[in-house]
Amino acid sequence: MARPLIVTAELGAADQAWFDNQRRIYFPPDRNLLHAHLTMFHALPPSVGEEVRNIVKRLAARRVPGAIVSGLINLGRGVAYRIVSAELEEIRADIADHFAGSLSAQDQTGWRPHITIQNKVEPNEARKLFDNLAAGFKSRPVTIYGLALHAYDGGPWITLGKWPFRF
């Protein structure tokens, strides 16, 4: 069975643990099937598997990109932390340019880097969490460890490879 491919930016261990904890606290438990993640592409076609693997591996040979958690995003039925990184934007643009004719509608639209910590809740619950977190929010750096390739499997993802950036 052909599975869509997902490209993510991998978080450093301490940041991964912090965002995973946020998901454990705020994400509906029956829907929290994944670790916290920063998705760069949601559904590349399976037919480009080897090609995307080679491109991601090549792009991960760059120096580790700087990134910050710059704010919160109200998703309507959830909340996410906004991530800002000019270097990740450049990496994503390189991949998007390469696969321009193969991108899904979702991946063709502008990228809004974020890490979702709550989703699939009632809008008033999302608004309450957004307001509570926004009241004490402080921007902070976040470590981007590398890039990863996954296959969507109807729930948990199958990790096909991870490539660290140069530190």
Side-chain angles (χ1 to χ4, degrees), residues 134-157:
F137 179 80
K138 289 184 177 33
S139 181
R140 66 179 184 84
V142 62
T143 300
I144 305 298
Y145 173 78
L147 299 174
L149 180 64
H150 313 273
Y152 179 72
D153 196 31
W157 299 345

Side-chain angles (χ1 to χ4, degrees), residues 4-8 10 148-152 157-162:
L5 302 174
I6 302 160
V7 177
T8 60
E10 294 293 293
L149 180 64
H150 313 273
Y152 179 72
W157 299 345
I158 299 167
T159 299
L160 303 175
K162 293 183 179 187

Side-chain angles (χ1 to χ4, degrees), residues 40-42 92 96 103-112:
M40 297 176 75
F41 291 92
H42 295 86
R92 189 190 184 279
L103 297 179
S104 67
Q106 183 179 19
D107 288 332
Q108 287 178 35
T109 61
W111 186 44
R112 188 170 65 160

Side-chain angles (χ1 to χ4, degrees), residues 79-155:
V79 176
Y81 285 99
R82 181 183 312 276
I83 306 299
V84 174
S85 171
E87 294 98 330
L88 273 182
E89 295 268 358
E90 184 180 308
I91 289 168
R92 189 190 184 279
D94 288 348
I95 297 170
D97 287 347
H98 186 86
F99 293 108
S102 302
L103 297 179
S104 67
Q106 183 179 19
D107 288 332
Q108 287 178 35
T109 61
W111 186 44
R112 188 170 65 160
H114 65 277
I115 299 171
T116 302
I117 58 154
Q118 180 192 58
N119 205 2
K120 314 267 194 288
V121 300
E122 292 301 317
N124 61 339
E125 185 179 343
R127 169 52 69 187
K128 184 178 175 183
L129 176 59
F130 178 87
D131 291 344
N132 286 343
L133 292 175
F137 179 80
K138 289 184 177 33
S139 181
R140 66 179 184 84
V142 62
T143 300
I144 305 298
Y145 173 78
L147 299 174
L149 180 64
H150 313 273
Y152 179 72
D153 196 31

